[in-house]
Amino acid sequence: MLVTGRPPMRELKITARQNDENNSEYAYRVLRENIMTLRLSPGETLNENAIAEMLSSSRTPVREALFKLRQQNLVDVFPQSASIVSLMDLDLLRQGVLMRRIVESEIVKNLCGNLNQELIASLRESLCLQREHFFSPNTVYLSTHLDDEFHRLTYHAARKDNIYVFTKRLCSHFDRIRHLVIMEGKMNHRSIFAQHQELFVRLLTGMDKGLEQFYQRHLIGYESYMPLMTGRYPAYFKQSPSGRDRWRALLEPLYKA
Amino acid sequence: MSEPILIVDRAREKSESNSAFAYRVLRDNIMRLRLSPGCVLNEGMLSAELGISRTPVREAIIQLKEENLVEVNPHKSSNVSLINFILVHEGFFARATVDPVAASVVCDGMDGGTAAGLEANLADQEKALRKGGSLHRFFVLDGLFHEILFRAAGMDHIWETVSRITTHYDRLCYFDVLAGSSRLRPVLKEHQELFAALRAQAAARLPGLIKGHLSHFKNLHPFMLEEYRAYFQDM
């Protein structure tokens, strides 16, 4: 196997350990954050020893964290060989978007006309925070976090917290691409924010018609920039689609709704 | 060594890693209630019985914990989780929402391979319910039937995700297996009806069929739930 000439692993961005975290949970959280923010880029080799050293821990928790990330399709392990950060897979992206569209539109449909004061208040508060932070530069983390949080509130109000967790995991490739789009300055936060406002109004008034189409627009609004992304970062993608037509073909099933 | 606890359905495959093997066998035993809800998992005993070291057993347990099938206690022992009705209903919601989409994609145009696969699966389901058949086998084939539909719809990753959401729902459905073949015959009939509707491209029939099909757990006999009350978190 060719290992010579491979650059050393990138320094991880290490955040402080939280109080209730054990070694393995800590390693998992730090690695996941580094992968999701593309600091560890798709295709990058993961060196267990180097990671353990950076986290000042033993190898067992690192191995357990890698194992968990593998279950979420974020790490690939080749037999008798190293682990790598998985390449972005457009089929996973498609299925993640499809799952969210199906599940979230049904959840919101059930919430329409079935609101409680707590949900209204928390959605409104979330929208205020979004107005404050979506449009200022250098807030990639904050804007994705606020976006996620806004949607999570609907799952929570419908008592579908477990579904949220697993749907979010299926969307890990979708979320990495979203991050890339934001990094490239191509995310239209104005339109995302306007759509969140629309969702809020839909919930208040009980306007449940066309929810699936709404989510379709909302989730892949940046689809037209994808050829640009795959052109600029071909090495990040499992199959590098060239041009708009290839993209259309891959995402076609999504348009059938 | 004492009586074996685990049922190993399929011998270990060459390509299967130790931890994948441990995960498969433990999950299967939990889902068929052989490792009953609430029972304590002893890593040492399990690794001895599977003939592998403790690390892969621990990895399998981590994964099962992620799926809400195992609870790891603060003092490090772990047990199979009790069946939680809130999770049962989340599982039902996921299936009731996602299954119709997969079915409607297949309904648009079922390829020959899928049709043949479903037909063979249905024949095996019938066999499993005949005298001398295995009700557990029927349960496995039931899952496979739906998995074939998801795969044919290009929704294989979604199926995996949904399977992780339905761990408590699926265990409650297993009570039909405990109750005997009289509760499973209607399930077979519904599978046959679903297949016929797909074949006839009768999309309008699908939502009703699927909803009814997934709702069996709602009419389990109260006496039966009472008999197994130790398996449930809130009874």
Side-chain angles (χ1 to χ4, degrees), chain B residues 21-229:
Chain B
F21 174 62
Y23 170 72
R24 170 167 68 81
V25 174
L26 289 179
R27 192 181 200 278
D28 182 48
N29 279 272
I30 293 173
M31 296 313 286
R32 68 195 297 175
L33 308 177
R34 170 89 181 177
L35 289 173
S36 55
C39 85
V40 174
L41 295 172
N42 181 322
E43 277 180 25
M45 262 164 67
L46 295 172
S47 63
E49 210 181 301
L50 293 169
I52 55 180
S53 72
R54 284 172 78 143
T55 304
V57 171
R58 199 169 310 129
E59 285 176 343
I61 287 177
I62 291 173
Q63 202 177 337
L64 293 164
K65 184 186 160 206
E66 296 286 304
E67 294 179 43
N68 296 305
L69 283 172
V70 166
E71 283 158 4
V72 178
N73 306 313
H75 49 283
K76 286 287 170 194
S77 81
S78 42
N79 60 272
V80 177
S81 64
L82 294 174
I83 297 175
N84 171 321
F85 279 105
I86 293 176
L87 292 180
V88 167
H89 284 283
E90 277 198 52
F92 171 69
F93 176 88
R95 287 288 308 266
T97 311
V98 176
D99 275 48
V101 176
S104 78
V105 174
V106 175
C107 194
D108 274 353
M110 182 161 51
D111 64 277
T114 303
L118 290 172
E119 229 162 7
N121 175 285
L122 286 172
D124 287 345
Q125 286 186 28
E126 266 189 276
K127 253 185 252 163
L129 290 188
R130 277 194 217 128
K131 249 203 182 107
S134 148
L135 300 186
H136 174 70
R137 175 91 186 124
F138 179 84
F139 183 77
V140 173
L141 289 163
D142 180 348
L144 217 52
F145 179 85
H146 294 284
E147 187 177 347
I148 293 171
L149 285 179
F150 273 75
R151 285 188 178 281
M155 293 164 67
D156 53 331
H157 290 294
I158 292 182
W159 171 256
E160 254 172 57
T161 296
V162 170
S163 309
R164 289 178 184 156
I165 296 172
T166 56
T167 50
H168 288 235
Y169 169 81
D170 288 339
R171 285 191 295 169
L172 188 55
C173 290
Y174 202 81
F175 277 64
D176 277 342
V177 175
L178 301 182
S181 57
S182 64
R183 279 197 61 95
L184 295 176
R185 269 192 208 100
V187 178
L188 169 63
K189 190 163 163 270
E190 287 158 10
H191 285 153
Q192 289 164 333
E193 284 168 358
L194 189 56
F195 180 61
L198 291 171
R199 197 158 235 190
Q201 299 200 310
R205 296 218 307 264
L206 296 174
L209 275 176
I210 291 170
K211 187 133 199 220
H213 181 57
L214 297 172
S215 301
H216 278 258
F217 75 97
K218 292 183 181 172
N219 51 43
L220 278 165
H221 204 287
F223 288 161
M224 180 154 193
L225 293 184
E226 182 60 30
E227 191 186 334
Y228 288 98
R229 66 184 299 166

